[in-house]
Amino acid sequence: MIVADKQRLIVEEINKWKEKHHAIILAHNYQMPEIQDIADVLGDSLALARAALTTEADVIVFCGVHFMAETAAILNPGKTVLLPDLEAGCSLADSITVEQLRKWKSEYPDAVVVSYVNTSAEVKAESDYCCTSSNAVEVVNSIPRDKEILFLPDMFLGQFVKRETGRDNIHIWLGECHVHAGIRPDQVEDVIRHHPKADLLVHPECGCSTSSLYLKAEGVLPEDKTHILSTGQMLKHSKVAQADEFIVATEVGIIHQMERQNPGKRFLAANPEAVCPFMKMITLEKVLTALKEKKHVITVPEQVAGKAKQAIDRMVTIG
Ligand code: 13P
Ligand code: SF4
């Protein structure tokens, strides 16, 4: 059987089981094209968290990574949240443990803790606020300016937030996402040289985000063509922008959606090797098994969930 026929049959089965269990499929913008194509809601971390909170479905199949499914389970404990592959983790979330955070907090007892959503539930439970890349600046701006802040775990997003808010009382954890850190400034500059008319879209987790802003400030990159955005904001921008060409500095999975939504526009990966192995673990076969066997159910111990929820509630409310 040819691949397209096989996929069509699996999708039919998925739809059958989805109806039977009254389920919804939430998928992140970095998922494989065939997963993006079956999603009921496709979005960035914030949009998916909000969709998990408001859905009327009984079962949420989370096509993303573990911390996203955990966040959904905390936000909406009445639902069954399924992650099709338990190995779908996140190198950034792994860059800080709850023990490390407790020790860091003890060094700054009066500081407010702002955690990126890419963290474990235990780390969120030790945090005052959560944020995503689309509202990190707004979340930090909502905290009184005289308050010291511990920002974790992404150092590039932390530096971006520090610059945008103009605060010098932000301490930043030195964690990174191995996929975004691997998108280097020299690679981006090289693509820009060959495509000078393109808009440059950079995710704030990228190693090149600092240099892109520097080059913008120096006038090397045109002011109106350089944008630091979450994946959801990138999709919005590529729809409304005048440009025909875009250089995309984030995980390459998003390009499928950009092309789908914008026939006629051209999208170039800043680094075609920026592929998140965790996001790509979710396959159609695994989604079908997850639905049929109702696995893997993601739960968070009540005590941890209760504390983490306060920080997550602030995240979904701000911005
Ligand atoms: P956003 O989709 O929220 O921009 O996050 C990117 C990411 O790395 C998710 O793991
Ligand atoms: Fe984590 Fe990076 Fe993959 Fe996002 S792209 S899930 S931050 S490893």
PDB file of all heavy atoms in Angstrom, residues 35-55:
ATOM      1  N   ILE A  35       0.636  15.464  11.324  1.00  0.00           N
ATOM      2  CA  ILE A  35      -0.010  15.684  12.634  1.00  0.00           C
ATOM      3  C   ILE A  35      -0.671  17.069  12.633  1.00  0.00           C
ATOM      4  O   ILE A  35      -1.802  17.234  13.088  1.00  0.00           O
ATOM      5  CB  ILE A  35       1.019  15.561  13.791  1.00  0.00           C
ATOM      6  CG1 ILE A  35       1.675  14.167  13.808  1.00  0.00           C
ATOM      7  CG2 ILE A  35       0.374  15.890  15.133  1.00  0.00           C
ATOM      8  CD1 ILE A  35       0.747  13.028  14.178  1.00  0.00           C
ATOM      9  N   GLN A  36       0.039  18.056  12.102  1.00  0.00           N
ATOM     10  CA  GLN A  36      -0.564  19.395  11.991  1.00  0.00           C
ATOM     11  C   GLN A  36      -1.895  19.307  11.232  1.00  0.00           C
ATOM     12  O   GLN A  36      -2.873  19.964  11.589  1.00  0.00           O
ATOM     13  CB  GLN A  36       0.380  20.339  11.247  1.00  0.00           C
ATOM     14  CG  GLN A  36       1.681  20.618  11.975  1.00  0.00           C
ATOM     15  CD  GLN A  36       2.513  21.722  11.316  1.00  0.00           C
ATOM     16  OE1 GLN A  36       1.987  22.562  10.607  1.00  0.00           O
ATOM     17  NE2 GLN A  36       3.807  21.711  11.572  1.00  0.00           N
ATOM     18  N   ASP A  37      -1.913  18.464  10.202  1.00  0.00           N
ATOM     19  CA  ASP A  37      -3.102  18.394   9.340  1.00  0.00           C
ATOM     20  C   ASP A  37      -4.320  17.756  10.020  1.00  0.00           C
ATOM     21  O   ASP A  37      -5.438  17.930   9.548  1.00  0.00           O
ATOM     22  CB  ASP A  37      -2.773  17.627   8.048  1.00  0.00           C
ATOM     23  CG  ASP A  37      -1.769  18.388   7.179  1.00  0.00           C
ATOM     24  OD1 ASP A  37      -1.515  19.564   7.469  1.00  0.00           O
ATOM     25  OD2 ASP A  37      -1.234  17.787   6.225  1.00  0.00           O
ATOM     26  N   ILE A  38      -4.108  16.999  11.114  1.00  0.00           N
ATOM     27  CA  ILE A  38      -5.281  16.396  11.779  1.00  0.00           C
ATOM     28  C   ILE A  38      -5.663  17.148  13.062  1.00  0.00           C
ATOM     29  O   ILE A  38      -6.579  16.744  13.768  1.00  0.00           O
ATOM     30  CB  ILE A  38      -5.052  14.901  12.143  1.00  0.00           C
ATOM     31  CG1 ILE A  38      -3.834  14.725  13.069  1.00  0.00           C
ATOM     32  CG2 ILE A  38      -4.948  14.033  10.897  1.00  0.00           C
ATOM     33  CD1 ILE A  38      -3.831  13.433  13.842  1.00  0.00           C
ATOM     34  N   ALA A  39      -4.933  18.244  13.359  1.00  0.00           N
ATOM     35  CA  ALA A  39      -5.178  18.942  14.627  1.00  0.00           C
ATOM     36  C   ALA A  39      -6.511  19.682  14.626  1.00  0.00           C
ATOM     37  O   ALA A  39      -6.894  20.276  13.617  1.00  0.00           O
ATOM     38  CB  ALA A  39      -4.044  19.926  14.886  1.00  0.00           C
ATOM     39  N   ASP A  40      -7.209  19.636  15.759  1.00  0.00           N
ATOM     40  CA  ASP A  40      -8.390  20.488  15.926  1.00  0.00           C
ATOM     41  C   ASP A  40      -7.929  21.894  16.285  1.00  0.00           C
ATOM     42  O   ASP A  40      -8.542  22.881  15.896  1.00  0.00           O
ATOM     43  CB  ASP A  40      -9.283  19.938  17.045  1.00  0.00           C
ATOM     44  CG  ASP A  40      -9.851  18.587  16.671  1.00  0.00           C
ATOM     45  OD1 ASP A  40     -10.587  18.519  15.678  1.00  0.00           O
ATOM     46  OD2 ASP A  40      -9.516  17.582  17.343  1.00  0.00           O
ATOM     47  N   VAL A  41      -6.875  21.974  17.093  1.00  0.00           N
ATOM     48  CA  VAL A  41      -6.270  23.265  17.407  1.00  0.00           C
ATOM     49  C   VAL A  41      -4.772  23.111  17.205  1.00  0.00           C
ATOM     50  O   VAL A  41      -4.137  22.215  17.766  1.00  0.00           O
ATOM     51  CB  VAL A  41      -6.546  23.711  18.865  1.00  0.00           C
ATOM     52  CG1 VAL A  41      -5.906  25.074  19.137  1.00  0.00           C
ATOM     53  CG2 VAL A  41      -8.033  23.759  19.156  1.00  0.00           C
ATOM     54  N   LEU A  42      -4.207  24.003  16.384  1.00  0.00           N
ATOM     55  CA  LEU A  42      -2.764  24.017  16.145  1.00  0.00           C
ATOM     56  C   LEU A  42      -2.276  25.362  16.667  1.00  0.00           C
ATOM     57  O   LEU A  42      -2.886  26.383  16.360  1.00  0.00           O
ATOM     58  CB  LEU A  42      -2.518  23.902  14.640  1.00  0.00           C
ATOM     59  CG  LEU A  42      -1.075  23.954  14.172  1.00  0.00           C
ATOM     60  CD1 LEU A  42      -0.350  22.656  14.511  1.00  0.00           C
ATOM     61  CD2 LEU A  42      -1.021  24.185  12.655  1.00  0.00           C
ATOM     62  N   GLY A  43      -1.210  25.384  17.447  1.00  0.00           N
ATOM     63  CA  GLY A  43      -0.809  26.695  17.950  1.00  0.00           C
ATOM     64  C   GLY A  43       0.493  26.694  18.698  1.00  0.00           C
ATOM     65  O   GLY A  43       1.222  25.692  18.737  1.00  0.00           O
ATOM     66  N   ASP A  44       0.790  27.850  19.304  1.00  0.00           N
ATOM     67  CA  ASP A  44       1.988  27.956  20.137  1.00  0.00           C
ATOM     68  C   ASP A  44       1.621  27.519  21.560  1.00  0.00           C
ATOM     69  O   ASP A  44       0.468  27.151  21.845  1.00  0.00           O
ATOM     70  CB  ASP A  44       2.595  29.369  20.067  1.00  0.00           C
ATOM     71  CG  ASP A  44       1.698  30.469  20.619  1.00  0.00           C
ATOM     72  OD1 ASP A  44       0.686  30.163  21.271  1.00  0.00           O
ATOM     73  OD2 ASP A  44       2.014  31.652  20.394  1.00  0.00           O
ATOM     74  N   SER A  45       2.592  27.561  22.464  1.00  0.00           N
ATOM     75  CA  SER A  45       2.379  27.024  23.809  1.00  0.00           C
ATOM     76  C   SER A  45       1.218  27.717  24.519  1.00  0.00           C
ATOM     77  O   SER A  45       0.426  27.057  25.209  1.00  0.00           O
ATOM     78  CB  SER A  45       3.637  27.200  24.665  1.00  0.00           C
ATOM     79  OG  SER A  45       4.760  26.809  23.947  1.00  0.00           O
ATOM     80  N   LEU A  46       1.103  29.032  24.337  1.00  0.00           N
ATOM     81  CA  LEU A  46       0.053  29.770  25.051  1.00  0.00           C
ATOM     82  C   LEU A  46      -1.326  29.433  24.472  1.00  0.00           C
ATOM     83  O   LEU A  46      -2.276  29.155  25.233  1.00  0.00           O
ATOM     84  CB  LEU A  46       0.319  31.277  24.974  1.00  0.00           C
ATOM     85  CG  LEU A  46      -0.586  32.161  25.822  1.00  0.00           C
ATOM     86  CD1 LEU A  46      -0.503  31.786  27.299  1.00  0.00           C
ATOM     87  CD2 LEU A  46      -0.238  33.639  25.653  1.00  0.00           C
ATOM     88  N   ALA A  47      -1.417  29.406  23.161  1.00  0.00           N
ATOM     89  CA  ALA A  47      -2.720  29.098  22.525  1.00  0.00           C
ATOM     90  C   ALA A  47      -3.171  27.696  22.910  1.00  0.00           C
ATOM     91  O   ALA A  47      -4.366  27.465  23.165  1.00  0.00           O
ATOM     92  CB  ALA A  47      -2.587  29.219  21.006  1.00  0.00           C
ATOM     93  N   LEU A  48      -2.248  26.754  22.971  1.00  0.00           N
ATOM     94  CA  LEU A  48      -2.625  25.373  23.307  1.00  0.00           C
ATOM     95  C   LEU A  48      -3.038  25.263  24.777  1.00  0.00           C
ATOM     96  O   LEU A  48      -3.974  24.531  25.110  1.00  0.00           O
ATOM     97  CB  LEU A  48      -1.474  24.412  22.994  1.00  0.00           C
ATOM     98  CG  LEU A  48      -1.113  24.308  21.501  1.00  0.00           C
ATOM     99  CD1 LEU A  48       0.064  23.357  21.294  1.00  0.00           C
ATOM    100  CD2 LEU A  48      -2.309  23.854  20.656  1.00  0.00           C
ATOM    101  N   ALA A  49      -2.349  25.981  25.652  1.00  0.00           N
ATOM    102  CA  ALA A  49      -2.735  25.961  27.072  1.00  0.00           C
ATOM    103  C   ALA A  49      -4.148  26.524  27.228  1.00  0.00           C
ATOM    104  O   ALA A  49      -4.980  25.964  27.949  1.00  0.00           O
ATOM    105  CB  ALA A  49      -1.733  26.769  27.903  1.00  0.00           C
ATOM    106  N   ARG A  50      -4.419  27.608  26.518  1.00  0.00           N
ATOM    107  CA  ARG A  50      -5.765  28.206  26.601  1.00  0.00           C
ATOM    108  C   ARG A  50      -6.816  27.272  26.022  1.00  0.00           C
ATOM    109  O   ARG A  50      -7.915  27.153  26.552  1.00  0.00           O
ATOM    110  CB  ARG A  50      -5.779  29.564  25.885  1.00  0.00           C
ATOM    111  CG  ARG A  50      -5.055  30.639  26.700  1.00  0.00           C
ATOM    112  CD  ARG A  50      -5.000  31.964  25.982  1.00  0.00           C
ATOM    113  NE  ARG A  50      -4.411  32.998  26.850  1.00  0.00           N
ATOM    114  CZ  ARG A  50      -3.779  34.079  26.403  1.00  0.00           C
ATOM    115  NH1 ARG A  50      -3.644  34.271  25.100  1.00  0.00           N
ATOM    116  NH2 ARG A  50      -3.286  34.959  27.246  1.00  0.00           N
ATOM    117  N   ALA A  51      -6.473  26.583  24.935  1.00  0.00           N
ATOM    118  CA  ALA A  51      -7.430  25.631  24.330  1.00  0.00           C
ATOM    119  C   ALA A  51      -7.697  24.484  25.302  1.00  0.00           C
ATOM    120  O   ALA A  51      -8.836  24.018  25.424  1.00  0.00           O
ATOM    121  CB  ALA A  51      -6.875  25.098  23.012  1.00  0.00           C
ATOM    122  N   ALA A  52      -6.674  24.028  26.001  1.00  0.00           N
ATOM    123  CA  ALA A  52      -6.844  22.931  26.967  1.00  0.00           C
ATOM    124  C   ALA A  52      -7.745  23.363  28.117  1.00  0.00           C
ATOM    125  O   ALA A  52      -8.512  22.571  28.658  1.00  0.00           O
ATOM    126  CB  ALA A  52      -5.482  22.487  27.494  1.00  0.00           C
ATOM    127  N   LEU A  53      -7.639  24.635  28.473  1.00  0.00           N
ATOM    128  CA  LEU A  53      -8.437  25.156  29.586  1.00  0.00           C
ATOM    129  C   LEU A  53      -9.913  25.250  29.224  1.00  0.00           C
ATOM    130  O   LEU A  53     -10.785  24.988  30.056  1.00  0.00           O
ATOM    131  CB  LEU A  53      -7.893  26.541  29.974  1.00  0.00           C
ATOM    132  CG  LEU A  53      -8.637  27.341  31.038  1.00  0.00           C
ATOM    133  CD1 LEU A  53      -8.526  26.632  32.389  1.00  0.00           C
ATOM    134  CD2 LEU A  53      -8.062  28.751  31.159  1.00  0.00           C
ATOM    135  N   THR A  54     -10.195  25.606  27.983  1.00  0.00           N
ATOM    136  CA  THR A  54     -11.586  25.917  27.628  1.00  0.00           C
ATOM    137  C   THR A  54     -12.317  24.802  26.873  1.00  0.00           C
ATOM    138  O   THR A  54     -13.514  24.917  26.625  1.00  0.00           O
ATOM    139  CB  THR A  54     -11.638  27.198  26.771  1.00  0.00           C
ATOM    140  OG1 THR A  54     -10.741  27.028  25.665  1.00  0.00           O
ATOM    141  CG2 THR A  54     -11.232  28.430  27.556  1.00  0.00           C
ATOM    142  N   THR A  55     -11.619  23.732  26.520  1.00  0.00           N
ATOM    143  CA  THR A  55     -12.267  22.709  25.696  1.00  0.00           C
ATOM    144  C   THR A  55     -13.424  22.011  26.423  1.00  0.00           C
ATOM    145  O   THR A  55     -13.385  21.830  27.645  1.00  0.00           O
ATOM    146  CB  THR A  55     -11.256  21.643  25.215  1.00  0.00           C
ATOM    147  OG1 THR A  55     -11.937  20.741  24.332  1.00  0.00           O
ATOM    148  CG2 THR A  55     -10.675  20.828  26.374  1.00  0.00           C
TER     149      THR A  55
END
